[in-house]
Amino acid sequence: MRKLTSTNYYNQTFLEEKCTLNELINLLSKRWLTEVMFSIEEGNNRFSTLKEDLKHISDNILADRLKLLEQHKLIIRNDNFREVPSRVEYTLSETGSKLSELLDGLCHFSETEMEFPE
Amino acid sequence: MRKLTSTNYYNQTFLEEKCTLNELINLLSKRWLTEVMFSIEEGNNRFSTLKEDLKHISDNILADRLKLLEQHKLIIRNDNFREVPSRVEYTLSETGSKLSELLDGLCHFSETEMEFPE
DNA sequence: TGTTAAGCTCATTTATATAGGAGCTACTCA
DNA sequence: TGAGTAGCTCCTATATAAATGAGCTTAACA
């Protein structure tokens, strides 16, 4: 239910069309999203273990981020378990692994070169 | 005038303290910020030329992004011109150039590997 | 005396993102 | 019959970000 006639929306799409980097950054800037990726990479592959690992995340945000990551094919969702209570497992895709590597580079940069004023 | 007692604030600082990558991504996700950097890199070094280049940006946002970039030492502000009307020039710092290169990598990735559903 | 220019600042309005909490499903076990 | 579990969804409230528009400064020039 996003308002499609606002300048806010117009400018965002303008920038996303100018360069997909903006689209990627918008995705990455969703709170917890990269942490969810990294946590899956480390082996926390279920909703409940992710929730436990990322202490302060709330259910609906975790669900949303998992959905976003899946839609962008950065993770793979596997629900062929036919168990009750239901069981779903997530793994990183190849694209997800590549992105994770790139982010490691950015992380190193931010730790060694950036200055963040208080 | 940010509210320091909200869960929203608490979670953001939690993530920023966990890894400075989150701090960097938060910065980069401010709308227009990377575009301002790239535009300066391309030689648009004054407030007015930046404004012209980034057609839809508004004054206060441009001013804010320039201030953020300067505070993080990604650009350098030079106002030793003593002219009227006032003249200020911006250039990319070394750190800014490095970041720009890293972002080129991310940009290439997002263009070749990412899928953005409509 | 009034206008113009660049490079801003500030207050307010509007839009969007995040968080909180209830509820749903379908099956199992006590 | 009723409780419990995983993995969600939906609605609402709260917080934050972006945009709009007015105004400020200093000096030169008409």
Side-chain angles (χ1 to χ4, degrees), chain B residues 20-117:
Chain B
T20 55
L21 175 62
N22 286 308
E23 220 164 339
L24 180 57
I25 288 176
N26 281 345
L27 179 67
L28 296 177
S29 72
K30 301 278 177 186
R31 193 172 291 171
W32 301 102
L33 189 129
T34 59
E35 297 297 332
V36 172
M37 263 189 63
F38 293 145
S39 189
I40 290 172
E41 193 173 30
E42 284 166 16
N44 300 300
N45 55 6
R46 299 187 62 178
F47 193 93
S48 46
T49 55
L50 287 165
K51 212 178 128 171
E52 203 179 329
D53 185 43
L54 304 172
K55 295 183 187 66
H56 308 293
I57 198 170
S58 55
D59 284 21
N60 65 343
I61 300 287
L62 178 52
D64 178 74
R65 299 312 183 249
L66 287 169
K67 195 172 289 177
L68 278 171
L69 286 167
E70 197 203 350
Q71 283 170 352
H72 289 82
K73 307 204 175 156
L74 294 169
I75 61 173
I76 296 158
R77 182 180 189 275
N78 178 8
D79 63 353
N80 293 333
F81 289 99
R82 307 242 153 248
E83 292 177 19
V84 169
S86 60
R87 175 193 184 86
V88 175
E89 284 187 7
Y90 296 96
T91 48
L92 221 57
S93 69
E94 282 221 11
T95 311
S97 300
K98 283 189 195 167
L99 179 55
S100 173
E101 271 182 54
L102 280 172
L103 292 178
D104 283 350
L106 258 196
C107 181
H108 179 254
F109 172 82
S110 73
E111 273 169 3
T112 56
E113 313 265 353
M114 287 292 295
E115 293 189 36
F116 295 104

Side-chain angles (χ1 to χ4, degrees), chain A residues 30-36 54 56-57 61, chain B residues 11 14-15:
Chain A
K30 301 277 179 191
R31 191 173 293 171
W32 300 103
L33 190 129
T34 59
E35 297 297 332
V36 172
L54 304 172
H56 308 292
I57 199 170
I61 299 287
Chain B
N11 282 349
F14 169 79
L15 290 173

